[in-house]
Amino acid sequence: MDKILIVDDEAQIRKHLTRLMELEGYEVLSAADCRSALKLLEFHAPEVVICDVSLPDGNGIKLVTNIKKRDPKIEIVLLTAHGNIPDCVQAIKNGAFDYITKGNDNNKIIPLVSRAMEKARTNNLVKKKESKACAMYSLDSILGHSKEIREVQSLALKVSVTDVPVLLTGETGTGKEVFAQAIHQNSSRKNNNFVAVNCSSFSKELLESEMFGHKTGSFTGALKDKKGLFEEANNGTLFLDEIGEMAFELQAKLLRILETGEYIKLGETKPTKVNVRIIAATNRDLKAEIEKGNFREDLFYRLSVFQIHLPSLRERKEDIEIFAQFFVHFFSEKLGYPQINLTEKVISIFKEYPWKGNIRELRNVIERSLIVSDNNCIEPKDLPLDMHNMHMENSDGKGLSEFDMGAMECRHIARVLQYTQGNKSEAARLLKIGLTTLYRKIEEYKL
Protein backbone atom coordinates (compact mmCIF):
# COMPACT_ATOMS: atom_id res chain seq x y z
CA MET A 1 0.00 0.00 0.00
CA ASP A 2 1.27 3.51 -0.83
CA LYS A 3 2.36 5.37 2.30
CA ILE A 4 2.05 9.08 3.19
CA LEU A 5 3.63 11.01 6.08
CA ILE A 6 1.73 14.11 7.28
CA VAL A 7 3.77 16.68 9.25
CA ASP A 8 1.79 19.50 10.92
CA ASP A 9 1.71 20.88 14.46
CA GLU A 10 -2.07 21.40 14.38
CA ALA A 11 -3.79 18.22 15.54
CA GLN A 12 -7.04 19.09 13.79
CA ILE A 13 -5.31 19.47 10.41
CA ARG A 14 -3.41 16.18 10.91
CA LYS A 15 -6.64 14.41 11.76
CA HIS A 16 -8.49 15.90 8.77
CA LEU A 17 -5.70 15.08 6.27
CA THR A 18 -5.25 11.58 7.70
CA ARG A 19 -8.93 10.79 7.23
CA LEU A 20 -8.89 12.28 3.74
CA MET A 21 -5.85 10.29 2.61
CA GLU A 22 -7.11 7.04 4.18
CA LEU A 23 -10.35 7.39 2.21
CA GLU A 24 -8.16 7.56 -0.93
CA GLY A 25 -6.62 4.20 0.03
CA TYR A 26 -3.26 5.42 1.40
CA GLU A 27 -1.54 4.22 4.56
CA VAL A 28 -0.94 7.32 6.71
CA LEU A 29 1.69 8.25 9.32
CA SER A 30 1.70 11.59 11.13
CA ALA A 31 4.10 13.79 13.08
CA ALA A 32 3.77 17.15 14.87
CA ASP A 33 7.32 18.47 14.30
CA CYS A 34 10.55 18.03 12.32
CA ARG A 35 12.21 15.80 14.93
CA SER A 36 9.30 13.35 15.03
CA ALA A 37 9.07 13.33 11.25
CA LEU A 38 12.77 12.49 10.81
CA LYS A 39 12.46 9.76 13.46
CA LEU A 40 9.56 8.16 11.55
CA LEU A 41 11.60 8.31 8.33
CA GLU A 42 14.29 6.15 9.98
CA PHE A 43 11.86 3.23 10.31
CA HIS A 44 9.34 3.82 7.52
CA ALA A 45 9.58 4.59 3.83
CA PRO A 46 6.68 6.82 2.75
CA GLU A 47 6.43 7.69 -0.91
CA VAL A 48 4.97 11.17 -0.22
CA VAL A 49 5.32 13.68 2.64
CA ILE A 50 2.70 16.42 3.21
CA CYS A 51 4.43 19.04 5.33
CA ASP A 52 3.53 22.39 6.89
CA VAL A 53 6.01 25.21 6.26
CA SER A 54 5.90 26.49 9.87
CA LEU A 55 6.75 23.89 12.51
CA PRO A 56 7.61 24.28 16.24
CA ASP A 57 11.23 23.12 15.92
CA GLY A 58 12.06 24.33 12.42
CA ASN A 59 10.47 24.88 9.04
CA GLY A 60 9.37 22.79 6.11
CA ILE A 61 11.88 24.45 3.77
CA LYS A 62 14.85 22.96 5.63
CA LEU A 63 12.97 19.71 6.17
CA VAL A 64 12.63 19.32 2.40
CA THR A 65 16.42 19.45 2.07
CA ASN A 66 16.93 16.94 4.93
CA ILE A 67 14.38 14.49 3.53
CA LYS A 68 15.80 14.69 -0.01
CA LYS A 69 19.30 14.04 1.34
CA ARG A 70 18.04 10.91 3.11
CA ASP A 71 15.95 9.61 0.22
CA PRO A 72 15.73 11.52 -3.10
CA LYS A 73 12.84 9.28 -4.22
CA ILE A 74 10.39 10.79 -1.69
CA GLU A 75 8.12 13.55 -3.04
CA ILE A 76 7.11 16.41 -0.73
CA VAL A 77 3.99 18.60 -0.87
CA LEU A 78 4.13 21.75 1.28
CA LEU A 79 1.20 23.34 3.12
CA THR A 80 1.53 27.10 3.36
CA ALA A 81 -0.28 30.23 4.45
CA HIS A 82 -0.72 33.01 1.87
CA GLY A 83 2.30 35.00 3.05
CA ASN A 84 4.75 32.11 2.77
CA ILE A 85 4.49 31.46 -0.97
CA PRO A 86 8.02 32.80 -1.76
CA ASP A 87 9.41 30.29 0.76
CA CYS A 88 7.56 27.48 -1.02
CA VAL A 89 9.02 28.52 -4.36
CA GLN A 90 12.47 28.19 -2.76
CA ALA A 91 11.49 24.78 -1.37
CA ILE A 92 10.56 23.61 -4.86
CA LYS A 93 14.02 24.67 -5.99
CA ASN A 94 15.35 22.51 -3.14
CA GLY A 95 13.42 19.50 -4.41
CA ALA A 96 9.83 19.79 -3.17
CA PHE A 97 7.17 18.48 -5.58
CA ASP A 98 4.70 21.37 -5.16
CA TYR A 99 2.85 23.46 -2.56
CA ILE A 100 -0.77 24.19 -1.73
CA THR A 101 -2.26 27.03 0.31
CA LYS A 102 -3.99 26.01 3.52
CA GLY A 103 -7.74 26.38 3.31
CA ASN A 104 -8.01 25.20 -0.30
CA ASP A 105 -10.70 22.62 -0.76
CA ASN A 106 -10.11 18.87 -0.91
CA ASN A 107 -10.65 18.81 -4.66
CA LYS A 108 -7.24 20.45 -5.07
CA ILE A 109 -5.12 18.57 -2.56
CA ILE A 110 -6.25 15.08 -3.59
CA PRO A 111 -5.20 15.39 -7.28
CA LEU A 112 -1.95 17.09 -6.18
CA VAL A 113 -1.06 14.25 -3.81
CA SER A 114 -2.07 11.74 -6.49
CA ARG A 115 0.40 13.32 -8.95
CA ALA A 116 3.12 13.38 -6.30
CA MET A 117 2.48 9.69 -5.57
CA GLU A 118 2.71 8.83 -9.27
CA LYS A 119 6.04 10.68 -9.47
CA ALA A 120 7.31 8.81 -6.40
CA ARG A 121 6.33 5.47 -7.93
CA THR A 122 8.25 6.41 -11.08
CA ASN A 123 11.26 7.39 -8.93
CA ASN A 124 11.18 3.98 -7.23
CA LEU A 125 10.87 2.17 -10.55
CA VAL A 126 13.83 4.07 -12.02
CA LYS A 127 15.89 3.36 -8.90
CA LYS A 128 15.07 -0.35 -9.08
CA LYS A 129 16.06 -0.45 -12.74
CA GLU A 130 19.30 1.37 -11.96
CA SER A 131 20.05 -1.07 -9.12
CA LYS A 132 19.27 -3.99 -11.40
CA ALA A 133 21.55 -2.54 -14.08
CA CYS A 134 24.32 -2.07 -11.49
CA ALA A 135 23.94 -5.68 -10.38
CA MET A 136 23.69 -6.97 -13.95
CA TYR A 137 26.80 -5.16 -15.12
CA SER A 138 28.94 -5.46 -12.00
CA LEU A 139 32.16 -7.43 -12.38
CA ASP A 140 30.92 -9.80 -9.67
CA SER A 141 27.93 -10.74 -11.84
CA ILE A 142 30.09 -11.98 -14.73
CA LEU A 143 29.59 -15.72 -14.97
CA GLY A 144 32.39 -18.23 -14.57
CA HIS A 145 34.82 -19.57 -11.99
CA SER A 146 37.71 -20.54 -14.23
CA LYS A 147 41.21 -19.22 -13.54
CA GLU A 148 41.20 -17.49 -16.95
CA ILE A 149 38.05 -15.44 -16.29
CA ARG A 150 39.06 -14.58 -12.71
CA GLU A 151 42.30 -13.07 -14.03
CA VAL A 152 40.34 -10.98 -16.55
CA GLN A 153 37.92 -9.81 -13.83
CA SER A 154 40.85 -8.77 -11.65
CA LEU A 155 42.37 -6.69 -14.48
CA ALA A 156 39.01 -5.10 -15.29
CA LEU A 157 38.48 -4.17 -11.64
CA LYS A 158 41.90 -2.50 -11.45
CA VAL A 159 41.41 -0.43 -14.61
CA SER A 160 37.78 0.52 -13.88
CA VAL A 161 38.78 2.99 -11.15
CA THR A 162 41.05 4.84 -13.58
CA ASP A 163 40.13 6.91 -16.62
CA VAL A 164 42.58 5.41 -19.13
CA PRO A 165 41.40 4.01 -22.49
CA VAL A 166 40.89 0.23 -22.56
CA LEU A 167 41.22 -2.15 -25.51
CA LEU A 168 39.30 -5.42 -25.21
CA THR A 169 40.45 -8.17 -27.57
CA GLY A 170 39.12 -11.66 -28.21
CA GLU A 171 37.02 -13.72 -30.55
CA THR A 172 33.48 -12.82 -31.52
CA GLY A 173 30.96 -13.67 -28.81
CA THR A 174 33.33 -13.67 -25.83
CA GLY A 175 31.41 -10.91 -24.02
CA LYS A 176 33.44 -7.80 -24.79
CA GLU A 177 30.45 -5.43 -24.46
CA VAL A 178 29.48 -7.03 -21.14
CA PHE A 179 32.97 -6.32 -19.82
CA ALA A 180 32.87 -2.77 -21.19
CA GLN A 181 29.57 -2.20 -19.35
CA ALA A 182 31.04 -3.67 -16.17
CA ILE A 183 34.13 -1.42 -16.34
CA HIS A 184 31.86 1.61 -16.82
CA GLN A 185 29.54 0.53 -13.99
CA ASN A 186 32.48 0.17 -11.59
CA SER A 187 33.95 3.56 -12.53
CA SER A 188 33.31 7.08 -11.26
CA ARG A 189 31.37 7.70 -14.51
CA LYS A 190 28.66 5.12 -13.74
CA ASN A 191 25.95 7.76 -13.21
CA ASN A 192 26.50 9.11 -16.73
CA ASN A 193 25.80 7.54 -20.12
CA PHE A 194 27.32 4.38 -21.48
CA VAL A 195 27.02 4.67 -25.26
CA ALA A 196 27.89 1.78 -27.59
CA VAL A 197 28.46 1.84 -31.35
CA ASN A 198 29.46 -0.98 -33.69
CA CYS A 199 31.97 0.50 -36.13
CA SER A 200 31.27 -2.24 -38.70
CA SER A 201 27.57 -1.35 -38.93
CA PHE A 202 28.00 1.98 -40.74
CA SER A 203 29.66 3.34 -43.85
CA LYS A 204 32.46 5.87 -43.29
CA GLU A 205 30.14 8.85 -43.88
CA LEU A 206 27.35 7.55 -41.64
CA LEU A 207 29.74 6.55 -38.86
CA GLU A 208 31.32 10.01 -38.89
CA SER A 209 27.89 11.61 -38.62
CA GLU A 210 26.82 9.19 -35.86
CA MET A 211 29.95 9.69 -33.80
CA PHE A 212 30.53 13.40 -34.18
CA GLY A 213 27.13 14.80 -35.19
CA HIS A 214 26.51 17.46 -37.82
CA LYS A 215 24.99 20.86 -38.47
CA THR A 216 21.96 21.47 -40.67
CA GLY A 217 22.91 21.54 -44.35
CA SER A 218 26.40 20.08 -43.85
CA PHE A 219 25.56 17.42 -46.45
CA THR A 220 22.60 16.30 -48.54
CA GLY A 221 19.92 15.03 -46.19
CA ALA A 222 21.21 16.89 -43.11
CA LEU A 223 17.85 18.59 -42.45
CA LYS A 224 18.50 19.45 -38.80
CA ASP A 225 21.31 19.57 -36.26
CA LYS A 226 22.31 16.16 -34.95
CA LYS A 227 23.99 15.41 -31.65
CA GLY A 228 26.83 12.91 -32.03
CA LEU A 229 27.54 9.91 -29.81
CA PHE A 230 30.53 11.69 -28.28
CA GLU A 231 28.18 14.40 -26.99
CA GLU A 232 25.72 11.77 -25.77
CA ALA A 233 28.56 10.08 -23.87
CA ASN A 234 29.98 13.30 -22.42
CA ASN A 235 31.24 12.64 -18.85
CA GLY A 236 30.47 8.97 -19.45
CA THR A 237 31.88 6.12 -21.54
CA LEU A 238 31.85 5.50 -25.29
CA PHE A 239 32.25 1.86 -26.33
CA LEU A 240 33.64 1.44 -29.85
CA ASP A 241 32.98 -2.16 -30.84
CA GLU A 242 34.83 -3.65 -33.82
CA ILE A 243 37.27 -0.73 -33.83
CA GLY A 244 39.36 -2.59 -36.42
CA GLU A 245 36.60 -1.93 -38.97
CA MET A 246 36.81 1.87 -38.64
CA ALA A 247 37.75 3.71 -41.84
CA PHE A 248 41.36 4.90 -41.89
CA GLU A 249 40.33 8.55 -42.38
CA LEU A 250 38.13 8.51 -39.27
CA GLN A 251 40.94 7.08 -37.17
CA ALA A 252 42.78 10.42 -37.33
CA LYS A 253 39.73 12.24 -35.97
CA LEU A 254 39.40 9.72 -33.14
CA LEU A 255 43.11 10.11 -32.33
CA ARG A 256 42.63 13.89 -32.03
CA ILE A 257 39.83 13.42 -29.49
CA LEU A 258 41.96 11.05 -27.43
CA GLU A 259 44.80 13.57 -27.42
CA THR A 260 42.92 16.88 -27.03
CA GLY A 261 39.37 16.03 -25.91
CA GLU A 262 37.88 18.01 -28.78
CA TYR A 263 36.66 17.58 -32.35
CA ILE A 264 34.94 19.54 -35.09
CA LYS A 265 31.43 18.57 -36.16
CA LEU A 266 30.49 18.26 -39.80
CA GLY A 267 29.46 21.73 -40.97
CA GLU A 268 31.06 23.58 -38.05
CA THR A 269 34.33 25.50 -37.70
CA LYS A 270 34.55 25.70 -33.90
CA PRO A 271 35.69 22.66 -31.92
CA THR A 272 33.39 20.83 -29.49
CA LYS A 273 34.98 19.78 -26.19
CA VAL A 274 34.01 16.51 -24.52
CA ASN A 275 35.14 14.47 -21.53
CA VAL A 276 34.65 10.86 -22.60
CA ARG A 277 36.32 7.62 -21.63
CA ILE A 278 36.96 5.33 -24.60
CA ILE A 279 36.67 1.55 -24.37
CA ALA A 280 37.36 -0.15 -27.70
CA ALA A 281 37.00 -3.78 -28.72
CA THR A 282 38.11 -5.91 -31.65
CA ASN A 283 38.35 -9.52 -32.77
CA ARG A 284 41.10 -8.59 -35.23
CA ASP A 285 44.87 -8.64 -34.76
CA LEU A 286 45.43 -4.88 -34.85
CA LYS A 287 49.21 -5.24 -35.09
CA ALA A 288 48.72 -7.25 -38.28
CA GLU A 289 46.30 -4.58 -39.52
CA ILE A 290 48.96 -1.93 -38.84
CA GLU A 291 51.45 -3.84 -40.99
CA LYS A 292 48.87 -4.03 -43.78
CA GLY A 293 48.32 -0.27 -43.57
CA ASN A 294 44.71 -0.61 -42.40
CA PHE A 295 45.12 0.76 -38.88
CA ARG A 296 47.08 3.69 -37.48
CA GLU A 297 49.91 2.68 -35.19
CA ASP A 298 49.65 5.87 -33.11
CA LEU A 299 45.92 5.26 -32.54
CA PHE A 300 46.60 1.66 -31.51
CA TYR A 301 48.99 2.79 -28.77
CA ARG A 302 46.54 5.43 -27.57
CA LEU A 303 43.66 2.92 -27.39
CA SER A 304 45.67 0.09 -25.84
CA VAL A 305 47.02 1.91 -22.80
CA PHE A 306 45.41 -0.99 -20.93
CA GLN A 307 44.68 -4.11 -22.95
CA ILE A 308 42.55 -7.04 -21.77
CA HIS A 309 42.24 -10.26 -23.76
CA LEU A 310 39.00 -12.20 -23.19
CA PRO A 311 39.47 -15.98 -23.40
CA SER A 312 37.37 -18.05 -25.78
CA LEU A 313 34.79 -20.45 -24.37
CA ARG A 314 36.90 -23.48 -25.33
CA GLU A 315 39.73 -22.01 -23.23
CA ARG A 316 37.47 -21.99 -20.17
CA LYS A 317 35.60 -25.28 -20.52
CA GLU A 318 34.81 -25.49 -16.83
CA ASP A 319 32.54 -22.44 -17.28
CA ILE A 320 30.49 -23.96 -20.11
CA GLU A 321 28.04 -25.75 -17.83
CA ILE A 322 27.54 -22.58 -15.75
CA PHE A 323 26.63 -20.58 -18.86
CA ALA A 324 24.42 -23.37 -20.21
CA GLN A 325 22.43 -23.65 -16.96
CA PHE A 326 22.08 -19.85 -16.81
CA PHE A 327 20.69 -19.65 -20.35
CA VAL A 328 18.34 -22.60 -19.76
CA HIS A 329 16.90 -20.81 -16.74
CA PHE A 330 16.75 -17.46 -18.57
CA PHE A 331 14.96 -18.79 -21.67
CA SER A 332 12.66 -21.10 -19.67
CA GLU A 333 11.33 -18.00 -17.90
CA LYS A 334 11.22 -15.93 -21.07
CA LEU A 335 9.31 -18.59 -23.03
CA GLY A 336 7.02 -19.43 -20.10
CA TYR A 337 8.26 -23.02 -19.88
CA PRO A 338 8.55 -25.04 -16.68
CA GLN A 339 12.15 -25.39 -15.49
CA ILE A 340 14.00 -27.53 -18.03
CA ASN A 341 17.16 -29.50 -17.30
CA LEU A 342 20.21 -30.50 -19.33
CA THR A 343 21.09 -34.18 -19.56
CA GLU A 344 24.62 -35.27 -18.69
CA LYS A 345 25.07 -36.30 -22.32
CA VAL A 346 24.26 -32.80 -23.54
CA ILE A 347 26.69 -31.24 -21.06
CA SER A 348 29.34 -33.67 -22.31
CA ILE A 349 28.63 -32.64 -25.92
CA PHE A 350 28.86 -28.97 -24.97
CA LYS A 351 32.30 -29.52 -23.44
CA GLU A 352 33.55 -31.29 -26.58
CA TYR A 353 32.21 -28.69 -29.03
CA PRO A 354 34.66 -26.00 -30.28
CA TRP A 355 32.21 -23.04 -29.88
CA LYS A 356 33.59 -20.81 -32.62
CA GLY A 357 30.86 -18.30 -31.80
CA ASN A 358 31.64 -18.58 -28.07
CA ILE A 359 29.05 -17.45 -25.48
CA ARG A 360 26.78 -15.95 -28.14
CA GLU A 361 26.67 -19.28 -30.00
CA LEU A 362 25.95 -21.21 -26.78
CA ARG A 363 23.10 -18.81 -25.98
CA ASN A 364 21.56 -19.36 -29.43
CA VAL A 365 21.93 -23.15 -29.18
CA ILE A 366 20.16 -23.21 -25.80
CA GLU A 367 17.28 -21.04 -27.02
CA ARG A 368 16.79 -23.17 -30.15
CA SER A 369 17.04 -26.46 -28.20
CA LEU A 370 14.46 -25.34 -25.64
CA ILE A 371 11.97 -24.60 -28.41
CA VAL A 372 12.33 -28.02 -30.09
CA SER A 373 12.56 -30.13 -26.92
CA ASP A 374 9.55 -32.34 -26.18
CA ASN A 375 10.32 -33.24 -22.58
CA ASN A 376 11.35 -31.39 -19.45
CA CYS A 377 15.00 -31.74 -20.41
CA ILE A 378 17.25 -30.99 -23.37
CA GLU A 379 18.58 -34.18 -24.97
CA PRO A 380 21.16 -34.74 -27.76
CA LYS A 381 18.34 -35.05 -30.32
CA ASP A 382 17.30 -31.46 -29.54
CA LEU A 383 20.69 -30.01 -30.47
CA PRO A 384 21.58 -28.62 -33.91
CA LEU A 385 22.49 -31.41 -36.33
CA ASP A 386 26.11 -30.38 -36.84
CA MET A 387 26.71 -30.47 -33.07
CA HIS A 388 25.02 -33.83 -32.65
CA ASN A 389 26.84 -35.30 -35.65
CA MET A 390 30.23 -34.08 -34.50
CA HIS A 391 29.66 -35.77 -31.17
CA MET A 392 28.68 -39.03 -32.85
CA GLU A 393 31.76 -38.91 -35.07
CA ASN A 394 33.99 -38.37 -32.04
CA SER A 395 32.35 -41.07 -29.89
CA ASP A 396 34.22 -44.29 -29.22
CA GLY A 397 32.97 -47.86 -29.09
CA LYS A 398 29.65 -47.21 -30.85
CA GLY A 399 30.40 -48.52 -34.34
CA LEU A 400 31.03 -45.07 -35.75
CA SER A 401 34.37 -45.63 -37.44
CA GLU A 402 34.95 -44.51 -41.01
CA PHE A 403 34.64 -48.17 -42.14
CA ASP A 404 31.29 -48.77 -40.43
CA MET A 405 28.42 -48.76 -42.96
CA GLY A 406 25.93 -47.73 -40.25
CA ALA A 407 28.05 -44.74 -39.23
CA MET A 408 28.37 -43.64 -42.85
CA GLU A 409 24.61 -43.97 -43.35
CA CYS A 410 23.94 -42.03 -40.12
CA ARG A 411 26.18 -39.15 -41.17
CA HIS A 412 24.71 -39.07 -44.67
CA ILE A 413 21.13 -38.93 -43.39
CA ALA A 414 22.07 -36.23 -40.89
CA ARG A 415 23.67 -34.08 -43.60
CA VAL A 416 20.65 -34.45 -45.89
CA LEU A 417 18.34 -33.47 -43.02
CA GLN A 418 20.55 -30.47 -42.38
CA TYR A 419 20.37 -29.57 -46.08
CA THR A 420 16.56 -29.75 -46.03
CA GLN A 421 16.47 -27.82 -42.73
CA GLY A 422 14.68 -30.69 -41.04
CA ASN A 423 12.08 -31.26 -43.78
CA LYS A 424 11.75 -35.06 -43.54
CA SER A 425 9.55 -35.52 -46.62
CA GLU A 426 12.10 -33.69 -48.78
CA ALA A 427 14.96 -35.62 -47.13
CA ALA A 428 13.24 -38.94 -47.87
CA ARG A 429 12.78 -37.89 -51.51
CA LEU A 430 16.44 -36.97 -51.90
CA LEU A 431 17.56 -40.17 -50.17
CA LYS A 432 15.16 -42.18 -52.36
CA ILE A 433 13.70 -44.01 -49.36
CA GLY A 434 10.21 -44.10 -47.89
CA LEU A 435 9.23 -41.60 -45.21
CA THR A 436 8.53 -44.45 -42.77
CA THR A 437 12.03 -45.82 -43.38
CA LEU A 438 13.51 -42.40 -42.73
CA TYR A 439 11.65 -42.08 -39.43
CA ARG A 440 12.92 -45.53 -38.43
CA LYS A 441 16.50 -44.54 -39.30
CA ILE A 442 16.15 -41.28 -37.33
CA GLU A 443 14.98 -43.26 -34.32
CA GLU A 444 17.71 -45.90 -34.79
CA TYR A 445 20.54 -43.36 -35.00
CA LYS A 446 18.88 -40.99 -32.50
CA LEU A 447 19.13 -38.06 -34.90
Side-chain angles (χ1 to χ4, degrees):
M1 185 184 290
D2 295 324
K3 197 177 293 183
I4 290 175
L5 170 61
I6 296 168
V7 187
D8 199 298
D9 60 330
E10 295 184 46
Q12 195 62 35
I13 290 178
R14 289 201 309 274
K15 185 176 179 181
H16 170 68
L17 287 174
T18 296
R19 180 63 181 154
L20 198 61
M21 294 301 123
E22 285 177 342
L23 287 171
E24 291 299 312
Y26 300 122
E27 181 183 342
V28 182
L29 306 166
S30 65
D33 51 40
C34 295
R35 186 171 175 275
S36 302
L38 292 172
K39 194 71 177 173
L40 282 170
L41 286 169
E42 288 180 12
F43 301 100
H44 302 275
E47 283 79 17
V48 173
V49 174
I50 302 172
C51 178
D52 191 7
V53 169
S54 301
L55 293 165
D57 56 348
N59 64 64
I61 314 298
K62 288 185 179 177
L63 189 60
V64 168
T65 304
N66 287 337
I67 291 172
K68 281 292 185 179
K69 278 182 181 176
R70 285 168 177 252
D71 190 346
K73 303 189 301 299
I74 296 174
E75 294 300 334
I76 304 158
V77 174
L78 289 169
L79 300 173
T80 180
H82 287 284
N84 288 333
I85 290 176
D87 287 340
C88 288
V89 172
Q90 181 58 47
I92 289 172
K93 290 180 181 177
N94 293 349
F97 179 78
D98 209 338
Y99 68 90
I100 189 167
T101 305
K102 280 186 177 182
N104 279 352
D105 59 22
N106 299 339
N107 292 333
K108 290 185 178 179
I109 193 167
I110 290 172
L112 180 59
V113 169
S114 178
R115 291 198 305 275
M117 185 62 73
E118 191 60 40
K119 177 80 184 309
R121 290 191 197 111
T122 303
N123 295 343
N124 280 314
L125 187 61
V126 168
K127 190 68 179 175
K128 283 178 184 176
K129 285 184 176 179
E130 286 176 351
S131 299
K132 191 175 179 181
C134 288
M136 184 184 300
Y137 293 117
S138 71
L139 286 162
D140 292 335
S141 72
I142 291 172
L143 295 177
H145 304 305
S146 63
K147 175 176 173 285
E148 292 79 9
I149 205 64
R150 285 202 307 272
E151 287 175 354
V152 171
Q153 284 174 302
S154 174
L155 288 172
L157 184 61
K158 287 174 182 175
V159 76
S160 64
V161 296
T162 73
D163 237 7
V164 301
V166 179
L167 178 63
L168 301 173
T169 62
E171 296 178 7
T172 297
T174 48
K176 292 188 281 292
E177 185 166 352
V178 172
F179 265 91
Q181 284 266 21
I183 291 169
H184 169 76
Q185 202 59 52
N186 283 271
S187 75
S188 59
R189 296 173 179 265
K190 66 182 179 182
N191 294 323
N192 297 305
N193 287 344
F194 174 90
V195 179
V197 59
N198 189 316
C199 299
S200 66
S201 299
F202 300 93
S203 66
K204 171 189 171 294
E205 292 74 19
L206 277 175
L207 183 59
E208 184 171 10
S209 174
E210 284 294 316
M211 287 177 62
F212 308 115
H214 61 251
K215 295 293 289 181
T216 306
S218 56
F219 57 87
T220 304
L223 303 178
K224 60 181 181 178
D225 289 357
K226 177 181 173 60
K227 214 175 176 183
L229 296 179
F230 269 98
E231 279 183 277
E232 295 286 353
N234 194 26
N235 297 315
T237 302
L238 180 62
F239 176 55
L240 300 174
D241 200 7
E242 305 297 351
I243 188 70
E245 308 289 336
M246 181 179 280
F248 196 83
E249 297 86 344
L250 283 184
Q251 293 174 26
K253 206 163 184 178
L254 176 58
L255 180 63
R256 176 177 169 78
I257 294 175
L258 285 165
E259 290 177 342
T260 67
E262 60 183 35
Y263 63 95
I264 298 175
K265 282 184 185 181
L266 288 169
E268 274 195 349
T269 54
K270 292 182 180 179
T272 299
K273 287 196 74 68
V274 287
N275 176 10
V276 175
R277 183 189 196 167
I278 301 290
I279 301 178
T282 183
N283 59 8
R284 290 192 174 198
D285 181 348
L286 290 186
K287 288 187 176 179
E289 294 300 314
I290 291 168
E291 290 177 8
K292 293 175 188 175
N294 297 330
F295 203 82
R296 294 181 63 111
E297 187 172 15
D298 46 4
L299 177 59
F300 171 75
Y301 288 116
R302 288 291 301 183
L303 289 172
S304 61
V305 174
F306 200 96
Q307 190 168 330
I308 301 176
H309 179 76
L310 302 188
S312 65
L313 199 52
R314 59 187 171 278
E315 292 175 284
R316 44 188 293 213
K317 286 191 175 182
E318 63 189 275
D319 293 335
I320 289 175
E321 185 174 354
I322 296 170
F323 275 106
Q325 297 289 6
F326 172 81
F327 289 135
V328 165
H329 179 73
F330 175 81
F331 286 116
S332 292
E333 282 195 350
K334 183 179 177 182
L335 297 168
Y337 291 176
Q339 185 56 49
I340 293 179
N341 301 311
L342 295 165
T343 64
E344 289 297 323
K345 192 63 140 179
V346 164
I347 292 171
S348 174
I349 292 171
F350 284 171
K351 289 181 178 179
E352 291 173 8
Y353 194 68
W355 297 111
K356 293 180 181 177
N358 292 291
I359 300 165
R360 189 180 296 126
E361 184 182 6
L362 174 58
R363 174 192 170 103
N364 293 344
V365 165
I366 294 290
E367 185 175 19
R368 182 256 183 206
S369 301
L370 273 174
I371 292 169
V372 302
S373 65
D374 297 319
N375 305 312
N376 62 347
C377 62
I378 294 176
E379 302 177 81
K381 68 180 180 60
D382 303 318
L383 302 177
L385 286 169
D386 59 337
M387 184 177 290
H388 188 210
N389 294 343
M390 188 211 74
H391 171 70
M392 293 184 72
E393 288 174 9
N394 293 338
S395 297
D396 296 320
K398 295 192 177 178
L400 293 178
S401 74
E402 288 301 316
F403 303 103
D404 188 308
M405 185 66 74
M408 292 172 68
E409 182 179 57
C410 169
R411 285 194 284 274
H412 183 57
I413 292 172
R415 284 167 185 152
V416 172
L417 282 167
Q418 189 174 7
Y419 174 77
T420 64
Q421 298 183 325
N423 187 322
K424 296 178 180 64
S425 298
E426 178 64 11
R429 187 187 69 78
L430 292 172
L431 290 163
K432 294 184 169 50
I433 61 175
L435 189 56
T436 305
T437 302
L438 177 59
Y439 273 104
R440 182 170 55 78
K441 294 288 184 183
I442 289 171
E443 180 64 28
E444 180 184 344
Y445 296 127
K446 301 193 182 306
L447 293 173

